Amino acid sequence: MSSNPPTDGIHLADEFLDRSTPASRARDILLRYPALSPAIVLVIAVIIFGALNSNFLAPNNLSLIAQQVAIVGTVAAAQTIIILTAGIDLSVGAAMVFASMVMAQLAATAGGLPAVIALFIGFVVAMATGALNGLLVTRLKLPPFIATLGTLNIFVALTLLYSGGQTVIGADLPALLTWTGQAIEIGGVRVTTGVLIMVAVYIALAFMLGRTAWGRHVYAVGDDKDAARLAGIRVDRVLMSVYIAAGAILAIAAWLQIGRSNAAGPNAAADINLDSITAVVIGGTSLFGGRGIIWGTLLGALIVGVFRNGLSLAGVDTLYQTLAVGVLVIAAVSVDHWIRKAN
Amino acid sequence: MGDIIMKAERLVKTYGRVVGLDGVNFELHRGEVLAVVGDNGAGKSTLIKCLTGAEVPNDGTIEFEGSPVRISRTQDARDLGIETVYQSLAVSPALDVASNLFLGREVRRPGVLGSVFRMMDTKGMRERARQELSELGITTLQDVTVPVENLSGGQRQAVAVARAAAFGSKVVFLDEPTAALGVRETNQVLDLIRRLKDNGVSVVLISHNMPQVFDVADRIHIQRLGKRAGVVTPESHSMTDVVAIMTGAAAA
């Protein structure tokens, strides 16, 4: 032991420095800070769209973007924790709409339940949908893609059966359920409570993922399941908790959806499944699991919102907005591959 | 030599129609270094996995400190004071060195932050990780905040060995712990094994390296065709004898 040269560490560091190139250093930085590239993209997009159209940076427009992003942003938060475990959830949109119909119908029908109870039951239902996905993944060992493809159809059908295809309009809803659509003024900017709730979801998740053992286990399970198991982590328990937590977040999204559209319809938010995955991917979270941070997803959702809004303000056809989002997704995944190639 | 700390009888483990362990007996004394040697496919790793909760044997009994135990998860083994370095290392590449050392046994912050908000004591764990590494004499890991995937194969192995050595209070299993290591790191691990022994910890070492085995082992468990072919000591048998028993050319 005593024969070890004391300069060991410096020696190793030298070796590292010798081999690094500007590209590999950039890669290392992006690997360590996965939210960096979406942050750069967002800043550049905001600058460009602000230059193209002076209305873009108007407080009212920014407030509109925030409102447009709130629901998909919340759903994408749920999607993120599932993708971090190397899973994917195709049923998020269907589960959210199902929960929103349960909340709305229970509260709206004549002699309906008190709003708080309806909201609570909506949460229970959404968490049950998560638990079902979790059971299929942990007990039946189904690949998450297949399991949630199945439950996607089941939840869509359940929603239509339960609602009879009927939309519940805002006038029939208690104030609590549409509260998330209400605007409040903060420093001259109108913000809906829904936007604030979404931000709260992100703060809570950032804390849980970054500061608690649960979060660390989520990463470890997504990174290498077998290593996590051998390190004493109860992999199935972690996976179940992730799917159920995702369900709870989807219930919040359902609540935001009711407030934003001032109604609850069985055919709402048809694109939200893929939009949520888009936000996660653009946000730098790896679809292979174990890598990414929750703030990246918020940035990803904002990027999509900013692109759509900015392009339409610039007078670009909606089809080109979709095209732009497609290019963004491919660029984001390419960057992810390039970063991981380092290892 | 001390009393028996861990004992297994007639362990059987099959994978479909493949027999991994065919009724193995195993004894480990307190404070000894026991080497497990055998040809490829003799069941060395399977034996270690069954004794540490990575696999559950189909049949057989395990006793720890005199009482029968069921080790069905690695956490069960950890709770008994048994730590393991698996051949696969079982480290999480995206997590940093400190996170890996404390993976599955994270320390929480004192007070409300820890009990109600379940907040980890990240700083404290990093501090302790640094301390443990320097106490173990592992100098190749300077920065405990580096993700394990940025480390070399030898450094990764050092992380896995350090984790086992730091937390293994009674028994440490090492499955080929020096496979990816250079000469100097190998000697460090061998020193570590001796130090664990000096502290009264029993060490089980799987190795292909006969000189290494004869260097540190008190006894040698020879595994052949899913069974224990014999137990010898470096004093009673030569390396050639051990190889002969391993390959079936001689009986123990």
Side-chain angles (χ1 to χ4, degrees):
Chain A
M1 288 280 71
S2 54
S3 64
N4 284 326
T7 52
D8 232 0
I10 300 159
H11 180 70
L12 272 171
D14 278 342
E15 211 172 46
F16 268 117
L17 281 178
D18 286 344
R19 287 184 200 159
S20 75
T21 61
S24 78
R25 261 175 303 208
R27 206 143 49 182
D28 280 347
I29 291 168
L30 291 177
L31 193 64
R32 270 201 118 152
Y33 305 99
L36 198 60
S37 36
I40 294 168
V41 172
L42 182 61
V43 169
I44 293 172
V46 167
I47 291 171
I48 290 175
F49 289 125
L52 284 177
N53 191 319
S54 55
N55 287 334
F56 178 79
L57 289 172
N60 272 341
N61 189 52
L62 294 180
S63 160
L64 181 68
I65 294 176
Q67 288 175 46
Q68 285 165 341
V69 163
I71 298 160
V72 69
T74 306
V75 173
Q79 188 72 264
T80 306
I81 55 175
I82 288 169
I83 289 181
L84 278 177
T85 66
I88 195 143
D89 191 344
L90 300 180
S91 72
V92 281
M96 178 195 84
V97 174
F98 186 32
S100 74
M101 287 314 298
V102 169
M103 289 175 185
Q105 281 228 343
L106 286 179
T109 42
L113 293 168
V116 183
I117 308 251
L119 193 64
F120 176 76
I121 294 175
F123 268 80
V124 171
V125 167
M127 287 163 83
T129 66
L132 175 61
N133 284 333
L135 285 173
L136 292 174
V137 170
T138 58
R139 298 281 156 232
L140 293 188
K141 309 277 178 211
L142 295 183
F145 186 93
I146 302 299
T148 58
L149 184 63
T151 54
L152 157 67
N153 289 296
I154 292 171
F155 300 154
V156 167
L158 284 178
T159 306
L160 290 170
L161 287 170
Y162 176 76
S163 66
Q166 298 294 305
T167 295
V168 182
I169 57 166
D172 291 343
L173 288 170
L176 178 69
L177 287 188
T178 53
W179 176 70
T180 52
Q182 254 162 33
I184 44 174
E185 200 122 336
I186 299 178
V189 183
R190 270 164 44 94
V191 183
T192 61
T193 41
V195 172
L196 298 179
I197 290 173
M198 175 198 68
V199 172
V201 165
Y202 274 88
I203 292 173
L205 270 182
F207 177 83
M208 288 167 72
L209 287 171
R211 304 264 175 236
T212 71
W214 177 81
R216 195 162 275 179
H217 295 173
V218 169
Y219 280 93
V221 167
D223 203 13
D224 187 335
K225 223 184 200 180
D226 290 325
R229 185 177 64 87
L230 290 178
I233 292 172
R234 295 185 165 197
V235 172
D236 285 352
R237 196 182 273 198
V238 172
L239 286 174
M240 275 307 287
S241 72
V242 165
Y243 279 94
I244 293 172
I249 298 167
L250 292 176
I252 296 174
W255 191 16
L256 301 193
Q257 163 74 21
I258 295 173
R260 166 106 178 107
S261 55
N262 196 27
N267 301 313
D271 298 330
I272 205 151
N273 269 338
L274 294 180
D275 285 353
S276 72
I277 298 170
T278 304
V280 175
V281 169
I282 293 179
T285 294
S286 169
L287 286 175
F288 298 99
R291 209 174 303 272
I293 71 166
I294 190 77
W295 295 114
T297 299
L298 181 58
L299 293 170
L302 285 171
I303 288 171
V304 174
V306 161
F307 261 73
R308 285 192 182 279
N309 179 283
L311 288 172
S312 70
L313 279 185
V316 176
D317 192 288
T318 326
L319 290 177
Y320 287 100
Q321 299 173 19
T322 311
L323 189 83
V325 173
V327 172
L328 272 178
V329 170
I330 290 172
V333 176
S334 307
V335 170
D336 177 48
H337 268 264
W338 178 69
I339 293 171
R340 297 179 334 114
K341 209 172 62 182
N343 304 285
Chain B
M1 201 52 59
D3 55 328
I4 290 176
I5 185 164
M6 194 171 189
K7 183 175 169 183
E9 280 182 338
R10 299 178 320 278
L11 285 185
V12 176
K13 176 71 189 174
T14 55
Y15 300 93
R17 293 167 67 177
V18 178
V19 179
L21 297 180
D22 188 12
V24 181
N25 294 324
F26 173 89
E27 286 110 33
L28 177 65
H29 296 284
R30 202 180 286 277
E32 77 166 342
V33 176
L34 176 72
V36 177
V37 300
D39 213 345
N40 285 337
K44 306 183 296 285
S45 287
T46 310
L47 174 63
I48 283 0
K49 284 181 182 163
C50 286
L51 291 171
T52 59
E55 300 269 9
V56 182
N58 303 89
D59 199 11
T61 56
I62 302 174
E63 278 179 29
F64 193 79
E65 296 190 313
S67 38
V69 287
R70 232 187 103 68
I71 303 176
S72 47
R73 298 186 298 117
T74 48
Q75 194 65 51
D76 297 341
R78 281 182 166 196
D79 293 344
L80 292 170
I82 302 170
E83 286 290 326
T84 314
V85 177
Y86 295 101
Q87 231 172 340
S88 65
L89 299 182
V91 290
S92 220
L95 297 182
D96 65 30
V97 173
S99 305
N100 264 295
L101 282 181
F102 283 89
L103 193 56
R105 59 182 130 227
E106 287 81 2
V107 180
R108 281 196 227 137
R109 289 271 282 263
V112 186
L113 282 175
S115 59
V116 178
F117 293 101
R118 315 211 137 230
M119 194 167 169
M120 286 184 296
D121 184 8
T122 310
K123 228 171 134 189
M125 284 191 283
R126 284 186 176 159
E127 196 44 56
R128 259 198 70 194
R130 265 181 223 116
Q131 234 170 5
E132 294 285 357
L133 288 173
S134 73
E135 268 171 35
L136 294 169
I138 294 170
T139 52
T140 55
L141 300 168
Q142 295 290 318
D143 184 356
V144 295
T145 65
V146 174
V148 164
E149 65 196 347
N150 290 7
L151 303 178
S152 70
Q155 288 172 316
R156 285 181 205 202
Q157 202 144 30
V159 173
V161 171
R163 177 166 69 188
F167 295 99
S169 55
K170 289 179 179 161
V171 180
V172 172
F173 284 87
L174 303 158
D175 192 349
E176 301 275 6
T178 58
L181 300 185
V183 176
R184 205 190 63 225
E185 287 100 340
T186 299
N187 286 332
Q188 283 187 357
V189 170
L190 295 182
D191 274 337
L192 197 61
I193 291 172
R194 290 192 196 96
R195 223 162 339 139
L196 285 170
K197 180 188 162 175
D198 290 343
N199 292 338
V201 176
S202 310
V203 179
V204 179
L205 169 72
I206 293 188
S207 179
H208 270 112
N209 185 328
M210 279 297 162
Q212 197 179 85
V213 165
F214 272 74
D215 187 8
V216 292
D218 297 307
R219 296 188 309 136
I220 303 170
H221 168 129
I222 304 169
Q223 187 74 15
R224 176 172 151 71
L225 299 176
K227 289 196 169 90
R228 181 171 70 179
V231 180
V232 301
T233 66
E235 290 75 35
S236 67
H237 289 66
S238 72
M239 287 189 206
T240 323
D241 298 337
V242 171
V243 172
I245 300 169
M246 252 170 72
T247 54

